Amino acid sequence: MITAFATATGAAEPVGNPLISMIVSLLPMILIFYFLLIRPQKKQQKRMQNMLDALQVNDEVVTIGGIMGKVVTIKEDDVVIETSADRNKIKFQKSAISKVLTIHE
C-alpha cells in the first residue's frame, strides 16, 4: 500500500541495496574510532611495555600510587624498591610502576 501511494504521488523508489549504503556510512565512523581511540591506546601500551622491559636495578621509579624509590631486585612480575634512607623495601608488581626517572644512554 505504501509503495502504491508513493508511486501514485510520483515519489521515486530508493535505488540500490540498503545494506551497502549502511556499510558505506558506517565505515568512516569506524575509521575515526580506530585512529582516535584504538591506535593511540596501542601505542601507549607498547611504550609502557618497552619501559618495563628496560627496567634495571638502581633505576629511580615512581609507582601508580606515587611512591618513589630505587629498584633493588627485579623478578618475572615483581619488583622490590627501596623507598627511603631508612632502607624500607616494598614489593610491587611491575605493572604498578608508572614512570622511570633514571635516564639511560
Side-chain angles (χ1 to χ4, degrees):
M1 169 129 174
I2 294 174
T3 56
F5 178 73
T7 52
T9 59
E13 292 186 25
V15 181
N17 191 349
L19 180 64
I20 292 174
S21 64
M22 185 171 48
I23 290 173
V24 168
S25 65
L26 284 177
L27 189 63
M29 218 154 77
I30 292 170
L31 289 174
I32 288 170
F33 274 117
Y34 176 75
F35 283 108
L36 291 180
L37 298 174
I38 298 169
R39 190 167 175 242
Q41 181 67 28
K42 283 186 179 183
K43 278 184 165 184
Q44 183 181 8
Q45 286 176 344
K46 188 174 181 181
R47 273 195 310 265
M48 188 69 158
Q49 189 61 43
N50 289 340
M51 178 199 64
L52 293 177
D53 290 341
L55 192 63
Q56 299 175 358
V57 176
N58 292 327
D59 282 351
E60 292 285 331
V61 296
V62 178
T63 66
I64 293 171
I67 298 173
M68 298 175 69
K70 183 189 277 189
V71 176
V72 178
T73 60
I74 301 173
K75 293 185 180 170
E76 290 292 321
D77 262 351
D78 299 330
V79 176
V80 177
I81 65 171
E82 191 174 88
T83 59
S84 66
D86 295 337
R87 296 186 166 275
N88 295 329
K89 295 180 182 174
I90 304 174
K91 186 177 183 178
F92 289 98
Q93 288 186 341
K94 262 188 180 181
S95 60
I97 295 176
S98 66
K99 202 185 304 184
V100 177
L101 301 175
T102 306
I103 299 172
H104 298 285
E105 293 180 10

